[in-house]
Amino acid sequence: MKKFLCCFAAAFVFTMPFAVSADLAEGDMIVTLGENLSEAQKEALLKEMGAPSGVEVITVSNEEEHQYLGKYVPKTMIGTRAISSSATTVNKKDTGLTVKTKNITWVTDEMYLNALMTAGVKDASIYITAPVAVSGTAALTGIIKAYEISANETIPENIKQAANEEMVETAKLGDSIGKENASALIAKVKEEIAKDKPKDEAELKALIEEQAKELKVELSSEELNSLTALFKKLQDLNIDWGQVGDQLDKAKDQFTKFLDSEEGHGILASLKKFFKSIADVIRSFFE
């Protein structure tokens, strides 16, 4: 298996389809590490992740990061070194998706959740980290790569691209209307699409405007048009919207439980207040 993964890591740069017979069960972990990490950094991150001895490790290259992000963010934001890393742990079937981060400055946990649900990722606990503060845009590449191996399935390239575009567009919107509002808006629009797909672009735009109004945020014409174009693209893809809606519902419940857990109580007060505000916004628009 380890020899096969080494070959796969090299082949993936050329985005060829693959099939892998991963034998990962509930509780198993798979780790992605940026190829430009030093050996000391790799060891430190594996320890931070709580990775068991012999954990499956795959490498993510800077070339791959540019492949999936080059259309959506400046090259300078992606950089020339791959250091973002992640740990994906297989959850019990139908328990949903969770995300936690460290040293991620621009992309929030909820933004990752939304993008991963678009990509079809489900039933996994994901931890995203880096040895220094990074924007977080590059991390999604490795997470999807790890999920494909852990779930033994190939996510179509156009859906991977759409997930990355969604993550970046949500982060940009967050700079304008607030990160929690941006994540909640994207999630709520998705939930409404899962219930009843808009028949045309006009209905889609009206749906986005309605959800923004409920959230009490104002979108500029440019932002509204950008979101309409994004969701139109998502609608045109072969996305399982029923699964997206189901994962959204499970993520809402799990986020609430995290805030009430011992780990949640141990967070610094300022951070807990910030994350609680996000949870409150999301919960209010799912009720």
Side-chain angles (χ1 to χ4, degrees):
M1 181 64 182
K2 290 181 179 178
K3 290 180 180 179
F4 182 87
L5 287 174
C6 289
C7 295
F8 165 76
F12 189 88
V13 174
F14 300 96
T15 67
M16 296 295 291
F18 66 89
V20 58
S21 55
D23 187 20
L24 297 181
E26 179 187 339
D28 287 347
M29 177 187 290
I30 185 167
V31 168
T32 68
L33 295 175
E35 70 173 355
N36 298 114
L37 292 167
S38 68
E39 290 304 312
Q41 288 174 326
K42 291 177 183 178
E43 290 181 15
L45 289 180
L46 288 171
K47 182 177 180 180
E48 179 186 317
M49 295 170 178
S53 175
V55 68
E56 297 289 355
V57 177
I58 58 178
T59 301
V60 179
S61 70
N62 184 248
E63 184 177 354
E64 288 173 284
E65 294 173 346
H66 280 273
Q67 173 188 339
Y68 288 104
L69 289 165
K71 296 179 181 178
Y72 316 118
V73 296
K75 290 184 178 181
T76 53
M77 180 177 285
I78 307 171
T80 59
R81 301 172 67 246
I83 61 173
S84 296
S85 302
S86 68
T88 297
T89 303
V90 179
N91 283 346
K92 185 177 180 181
K93 185 179 179 181
D94 297 327
T95 55
L97 187 65
T98 63
V99 173
K100 295 181 185 178
T101 60
K102 180 180 178 181
N103 278 339
I104 305 299
T105 61
W106 195 45
V107 182
T108 67
D109 297 10
E110 288 71 33
M111 292 175 190
Y112 284 122
L113 280 171
N114 272 323
L116 289 167
M117 290 171 192
T118 292
V121 176
K122 60 187 177 184
D123 301 329
S125 295
I126 296 170
Y127 180 70
I128 305 162
T129 187
V132 296
V134 295
S135 67
T137 53
L140 193 64
T141 300
I143 299 167
I144 293 177
K145 186 174 179 178
Y147 179 77
E148 288 183 304
I149 294 175
S150 66
N152 193 19
E153 66 178 77
T154 304
I155 297 172
E157 289 298 311
N158 57 352
I159 292 182
K160 292 179 191 176
Q161 288 284 351
N164 277 277
E165 181 179 0
E166 177 191 322
M167 175 188 67
V168 172
E169 288 300 315
T170 310
K172 290 178 180 177
L173 184 62
D175 291 338
S176 174
I177 67 172
K179 293 183 178 182
E180 62 270 30
N181 285 337
S183 296
L185 177 58
I186 297 298
K188 186 57 181 172
V189 172
K190 281 184 176 180
E191 187 193 38
E192 294 302 314
I193 291 176
K195 290 177 183 177
D196 186 17
K197 289 185 180 180
K199 296 180 179 63
D200 52 36
E201 188 172 319
E203 282 195 8
L204 178 58
K205 181 175 287 190
L207 170 61
I208 296 170
E209 288 181 305
E210 180 183 353
Q211 301 312 314
K213 184 177 180 180
E214 286 191 22
L215 194 56
K216 297 180 180 179
V217 298
E218 292 187 12
L219 298 175
S220 67
S221 296
E222 183 179 351
E223 289 167 343
L224 178 59
N225 290 336
S226 179
L227 286 177
T228 302
L230 173 64
F231 279 106
K232 179 66 169 59
K233 180 181 293 186
L234 296 182
Q235 274 197 281
D236 291 341
L237 297 176
N238 187 28
I239 291 174
D240 185 343
W241 287 98
Q243 176 179 293
V244 171
D246 183 59
Q247 291 294 308
L248 279 168
D249 187 61
K250 288 183 172 67
K252 170 200 65 176
D253 294 339
Q254 290 169 351
F255 194 83
T256 303
K257 290 176 183 176
F258 170 69
L259 288 177
D260 293 333
S261 69
E262 284 186 16
E263 187 176 2
H265 288 303
I267 295 177
L268 293 174
S270 59
L271 287 178
K272 182 174 180 181
K273 181 179 178 181
F274 172 70
F275 282 114
K276 181 122 179 13
S277 69
I278 298 176
D280 289 340
V281 171
I282 294 176
R283 282 200 300 270
S284 68
F285 284 90
F286 278 95
E287 293 173 350

